[in-house]
Amino acid sequence: MKTIFDKTKLRDLELKNRIWRSATWMALAHDDGTVSDELIACYEELARGGVGMIVTGLTSIAERDAVIGGECKFYDDTFIEGHRKLTDAVHRHGSRIMMQTAMVDGAVDQLTTAEVANIVAQFGDAARRAEQAGYDGVQIHAAHFFYLSKFISPLINHRTDRYGGDQKGRSQILLEILADMRAKTSDTFIITMKINSSDEYPGGLTAQDFLVTSQLMAQAGIDAIEVSGNGTSRTGIRAGKNEGYFRGAAMALASLVKVPIVVVGGFRSVEKIDNIINDTAIGYVSLSRPLVREPHLVERWQRGDLTPSKCVSCNSCYHTPGHQCIFNLR
């Protein structure tokens, strides 16, 4: 029987358990996008708390991107030193860490092919820098209606060239980003993707579109796919009742591809996580808000205290300094 505490491998990279910390906006970077001591402390606490793989919050790879406050930037080599301090802090505790590479917004239909190629190169360059900074890998952020999520969505992408037309065409930018990242990093560097299972908008990415894009990326050699969707951070999640709201989409994908599948979305209990990894082909589960409430949740579970996460899905953490749990601030 598999458990969440099994050691596993992503290619040759050993992970100490099956729990990922899904990318979470902590709003702790400096105004210029550099890494702060507070952000390093946040990630080190998660590593100390037993998380197997940490995915950083959205990190913008473009200088003129319309970033949200407190997000990291990573568009030239001057950012590497601060990130190396971050990765060193995480690795001291035996956890792994990936940078989530992203653009927040930008044009889609209006871009020339040369401009698309420039975006591809920027993602590739970010992966090179991430490896130099000590990251174990990167995650291509194609979810939550940030830029790449929009590019692969039929609601936004109306191009008629090779970057549009159908879902295979709309996925071309992701395939080229993956190839450029591979060309600029070592053979051991991990590259994953986060993708919407559905845009949940009329005319947007459908469940079938999600499967098409994901299968293309799997065939191209992506190392893992994290399944998410619009409509994240749902309220009213209760352990044993309505956990795992992207489970069905992740199961469908896991039945079609051989690459490891990670699922996020409202998990609160060891019982439900163990059910997922034993009853389906899904290999990993990602947590976000539960680790905001309890950074040492995995360690607590491993000690034998298997009571569910204390997170009540109130979403008040989005309105506090550093996006901390409101109950921890009282």
Side-chain angles (χ1 to χ4, degrees):
M1 178 178 175
K2 294 182 287 188
T3 78
I4 66 173
F5 306 116
D6 295 337
K7 289 184 178 180
T8 65
K9 284 188 175 181
L10 279 180
R11 287 200 283 129
D12 293 328
L13 182 70
E14 188 173 275
L15 306 183
K16 62 185 178 181
N17 57 53
R18 297 180 184 271
I19 299 298
W20 290 33
R21 191 268 200 164
S22 197
T24 303
W25 175 36
M26 302 307 295
L28 288 172
H30 293 304
D31 290 343
D32 62 358
T34 54
V35 173
S36 67
D37 290 343
E38 292 80 8
L39 190 60
I40 293 173
C42 172
Y43 288 123
E44 184 168 17
E45 193 67 13
L46 288 164
R48 190 181 288 113
V51 177
M53 172 64 84
I54 297 170
V55 185
T56 71
L58 182 156
T59 302
S60 175
I61 55 86
E63 183 174 4
R64 294 179 176 83
D65 198 13
V67 296
I68 306 170
E71 289 176 338
C72 285
K73 300 177 184 177
F74 206 57
Y75 55 80
D76 65 38
D77 290 0
T78 61
F79 293 94
I80 292 174
E81 182 179 355
H83 284 272
R84 189 176 289 115
K85 294 177 182 177
L86 191 160
T87 59
D88 285 347
V90 168
H91 288 150
R92 278 197 293 270
H93 304 281
S95 293
R96 304 297 189 176
I97 184 165
M98 288 192 293
M99 173 183 284
Q100 187 184 70
T101 56
M103 281 177 56
V104 175
D105 205 1
V108 174
D109 291 351
Q110 301 85 354
L111 294 182
T112 65
T113 55
E115 288 170 328
V116 176
N118 181 58
I119 290 172
V120 169
Q122 287 177 285
F123 274 92
D125 290 341
R128 170 186 60 78
R129 293 184 193 106
E131 185 170 32
Q132 291 175 334
Y135 283 95
D136 299 293
V138 292
Q139 183 179 75
I140 302 167
H141 191 7
H144 306 164
F145 239 46
F146 290 105
Y147 182 67
L148 291 178
S149 177
K150 290 180 179 179
F151 205 106
I152 64 174
S153 173
L155 183 65
I156 304 298
N157 185 337
H158 308 109
R159 299 178 71 100
T160 56
D161 62 358
R162 68 192 183 99
Y163 294 107
D166 59 13
Q167 195 56 35
K168 184 177 181 181
R170 289 187 287 270
S171 304
Q172 183 63 29
I173 190 172
L174 297 181
L175 295 168
E176 292 184 11
I177 287 171
L178 174 58
D180 201 64
M181 286 180 165
R182 287 277 184 235
K184 293 174 178 175
T185 57
S186 71
D187 292 341
T188 59
F189 194 64
I190 299 298
I191 304 174
T192 73
M193 174 181 71
K194 188 173 190 176
I195 186 171
N196 279 353
S197 53
S198 167
D199 283 348
E200 302 185 18
Y201 294 132
L205 189 88
T206 66
Q208 183 57 39
D209 295 331
F210 145 73
L211 292 176
V212 169
T213 297
S214 298
Q215 286 178 276
L216 288 168
M217 291 293 278
Q219 292 162 9
I222 199 81
D223 290 313
I225 299 172
E226 184 180 10
V227 178
S228 186
N230 284 339
T232 58
S233 302
R234 297 179 186 179
T235 56
I237 303 301
R238 295 295 180 267
K241 295 183 178 181
N242 54 354
E243 298 180 63
Y245 39 83
F246 297 124
R247 170 180 172 154
M251 287 174 59
L253 179 58
S255 71
L256 295 173
V257 300
K258 294 182 179 179
V259 303
I261 300 302
V262 188
V263 63
V264 70
F267 290 97
R268 298 291 181 268
S269 67
V270 172
E271 179 184 7
K272 289 300 180 183
I273 296 172
D274 276 344
N275 286 347
I276 281 279
I277 61 177
N278 281 285
D279 298 343
T280 78
I282 297 167
Y284 300 92
V285 168
S286 265
L287 304 176
S288 177
R289 290 174 294 173
L291 294 173
V292 174
R293 177 75 188 264
E294 296 178 87
H296 286 240
L297 176 62
V298 180
E299 180 189 52
R300 171 166 73 77
W301 283 343
Q302 195 153 21
R303 288 200 315 266
D305 180 354
L306 301 182
T307 54
S309 163
K310 297 176 182 178
C311 177
V312 297
S313 308
C314 66
N315 289 344
S316 296
C317 51
Y318 291 121
H319 308 290
T320 63
H323 294 180
Q324 300 176 68
C325 177
I326 193 169
F327 294 101
N328 293 343
L329 294 173
R330 290 177 176 175

